[in-house]
């Protein structure tokens, strides 16, 4: 059993069933496991007084941490490469902020969505990550020296709503107050727009959880060219799903727009964006395209970005320019997956 896949309540139930112990020992293990490194939970008083129990727990609850096999760092941004138990690599990006850290996690090895501007999508799909493999990425950063991990974004390799059940269990573990304690309002799930998945997410009743939707074009023809998922779930269906999505007071939907030079950067495109999000509580994140080594698209110039941003502002849209971090180490939006190319 891997404790990285368990919530506190599930850990308590396991301690009662397997060891005949209750909340006291389960709470000590759970807090210690998630907040201390190198099995230091065994040095906590409840386990020092019960060495046989400590050994049984250590034997049964093997965390199987991810094995670090590579790291690149540039300007504080770190792209970590971990080996999964089957040898496949997964990439995680650690982004330093002023007083805390954001961890960009992967949820799949590869991706089956096939977005044309995305390196991960170009590689195809290998497999889903388990809840434990998702949580392990945050756990590895959390238990290492450094600023507190405050934010987790599902914007790494893979489509979260294509691995729905495992992602949701991972979020339950990540947000458990007895363990990693990442507040739901600090967790963002990014999707290309799988409408049934958005509906399932809405049904969970987690209005604090942030939802980000990768739009990239607001007309069906262009969006279907850039993002094949649009042929299945078009813009009308996507807008309907966003219209009915529950949000906590003060929360907004995040709409991501990757700006590609000569493709979706004209004033008419801004008009279509404004029409699509009219009436929705939206913050629009404008992201300059980060071409990977095999991309057929071009990054916009600074002047291109400024011009298009002004188009959006002129239409009274709340737009934020998201500065890409980690481009030089293939760690920016749409660039992950270089380790997989060698497999």
């Amino acid at each position: 059993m891997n404790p990285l896949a368990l919530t506190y309540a599930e850990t308590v139930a396991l301690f009662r069933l397997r060891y005949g112990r209750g909340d006291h020992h389960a709470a000590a293990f759970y807090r210690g496991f998630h907040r201390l490194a190198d099995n230091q939970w065994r040095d906590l008083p409840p386990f020092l007084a019960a060495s046989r129990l400590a050994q049984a727990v250590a034997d049964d609850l093997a965390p199987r941490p991810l094995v670090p096999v590579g790291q690149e760092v540039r300007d504080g941004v770190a792209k970590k490469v971990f080996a999964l138990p089957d040898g496949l690599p997964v990439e995680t990006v650690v982004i330093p902020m002023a007083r805390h850290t954001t961890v960009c996690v992967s949820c799949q090895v590869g991706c089956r969505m096939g977005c044309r501007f995305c390196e991960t999508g170009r590689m195809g799909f290998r497999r889903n990550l388990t809840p434990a493999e998702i949580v392990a990425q945050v756990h590895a950063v959390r238990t290492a020296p450094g600023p507190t991990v405050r934010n987790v974004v599902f914007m790494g390799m893979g489509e979260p709503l294509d691995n729905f059940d495992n992602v949701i269990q991972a979020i339950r573990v990540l947000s458990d107050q007895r363990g990693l304690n990442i507040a739901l309002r600090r967790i963002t799930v990014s999707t290309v727009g799988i409408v049934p998945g958005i509906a399932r997410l809405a049904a969970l009743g987690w209005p604090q959880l942030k939802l980000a939707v990768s739009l990239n074009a607001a007309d069906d023809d262009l969006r279907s060219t850039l993002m094949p998922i649009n042929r299945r779930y078009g813009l009308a269906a996507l807008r309907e799903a966003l219209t009915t999505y529950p949000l906590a007071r003060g929360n907004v939907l995040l709409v991501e727009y990757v700006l590609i030079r000569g493709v979706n950067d004209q004033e008419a495109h801004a008009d279509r964006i404004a029409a699509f999000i009219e009436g929705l509580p939206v913050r629009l994140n404008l992201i300059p395209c980060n071409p990977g080594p095999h991309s057929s698209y071009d990054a916009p110039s600074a002047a291109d970005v400024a011009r298009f941003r002004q188009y959006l502002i002129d239409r009274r849209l709340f737009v934020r320019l998201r500065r890409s971090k980690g481009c030089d180490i293939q760690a920016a939006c749409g660039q992950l997956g270089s380790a997989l190319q060698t497999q």
Side-chain angles (χ1 to χ4, degrees):
M1 182 71 70
N2 193 329
L4 289 166
L6 300 176
T7 64
Y8 170 69
E10 291 164 344
T11 302
V12 169
L14 181 66
F15 266 66
R16 287 175 178 164
L17 178 65
R18 184 168 295 187
Y19 310 115
R21 304 298 180 111
D23 293 17
H24 180 60
H25 287 90
F29 169 76
Y30 200 76
R31 285 197 185 98
F33 174 77
H34 281 293
R35 300 182 186 185
L36 302 174
D38 301 325
N39 275 342
Q40 293 179 36
W41 60 267
R42 298 186 67 165
D43 298 329
L44 298 174
F47 293 101
L48 287 175
S51 59
R52 288 187 179 180
L53 172 64
Q55 188 59 53
V57 172
D59 290 341
D60 293 345
L61 299 183
R64 299 183 73 185
L66 302 180
V67 178
V69 294
Q71 175 174 289
E72 294 182 81
V73 181
R74 187 69 55 87
D75 298 327
V77 176
K79 181 173 73 170
K80 297 178 178 291
V81 183
F82 297 103
L84 300 171
D86 58 5
L88 286 173
V90 65
E91 297 181 0
T92 307
V93 181
V94 182
I95 307 167
M97 314 301 280
R99 297 182 180 177
H100 60 272
T101 296
T102 294
V103 182
C104 177
V105 298
S106 295
C107 64
Q108 295 177 321
V109 181
C111 183
R112 67 174 116 234
M113 297 298 106
C115 296
R116 303 299 183 226
F117 50 85
C118 178
E119 284 294 296
T120 311
R122 189 190 65 81
M123 297 170 191
F125 174 77
R126 298 292 183 90
R127 73 169 176 87
N128 287 327
L129 297 190
T130 67
E133 290 167 343
I134 296 170
V135 174
Q137 297 169 66
V138 180
H139 190 270
V141 179
R142 174 67 178 270
T143 54
T148 301
V149 175
R150 192 183 74 169
N151 302 326
V152 174
V153 295
F154 284 80
M155 296 181 178
M157 298 168 64
E159 162 59 45
L161 300 188
D162 190 41
N163 187 16
F164 188 92
D165 291 336
N166 289 346
V167 165
I168 295 307
Q169 178 63 13
I171 291 174
R172 289 191 176 104
V173 176
L174 291 169
S175 61
D176 197 304
Q177 293 181 347
R178 303 265 191 156
L180 290 167
N181 192 27
I182 309 294
L184 280 178
R185 70 180 183 278
R186 302 293 185 186
I187 299 176
T188 302
V189 173
S190 180
T191 178
V192 296
I194 299 179
V195 169
I198 295 173
R200 290 182 69 190
L201 201 61
L204 293 173
W206 292 350
Q208 292 87 7
L209 183 70
K210 293 188 183 301
L211 176 65
V213 177
S214 186
L215 183 63
N216 308 318
D219 67 86
D220 280 309
D221 287 343
L222 179 55
R223 191 165 191 267
S224 294
T225 298
L226 295 173
M227 306 173 67
I229 192 67
N230 195 74
R231 300 166 193 164
R232 187 169 184 181
Y233 307 113
L235 288 166
L238 177 59
R239 179 179 163 82
E240 177 63 23
L242 298 181
T243 299
T244 57
Y245 190 82
L247 294 170
R249 179 175 295 182
N251 206 356
V252 296
L253 297 165
L254 305 176
V255 171
E256 313 279 309
Y257 194 90
V258 176
L259 191 67
I260 306 171
R261 187 173 190 177
V263 174
N264 62 352
D265 60 350
Q266 300 303 305
E267 190 166 6
H269 297 121
D271 287 333
R272 294 179 188 124
I273 295 171
F276 178 81
I277 66 177
E278 184 178 7
L280 293 174
V282 163
R283 187 181 78 201
L284 183 64
N285 287 331
L286 183 62
I287 307 168
C289 178
N290 304 299
H294 305 94
S295 178
S296 58
Y297 295 111
D298 295 324
S301 67
D304 293 333
V305 174
R307 173 176 49 79
F308 194 77
R309 181 172 179 267
Q310 190 59 52
Y311 290 156
L312 299 171
I313 293 172
D314 290 345
R315 285 148 183 82
R316 299 186 178 182
L317 300 182
F318 181 7
V319 56
R320 177 177 293 174
L321 177 60
R322 213 170 84 187
R323 302 288 182 185
S324 295
K325 298 180 179 181
C327 292
D328 293 342
I329 55 173
Q330 295 295 295
C333 179
Q335 291 185 320
L336 294 184
S338 57
L340 192 60
Q341 296 183 53
T342 62
Q343 296 292 307

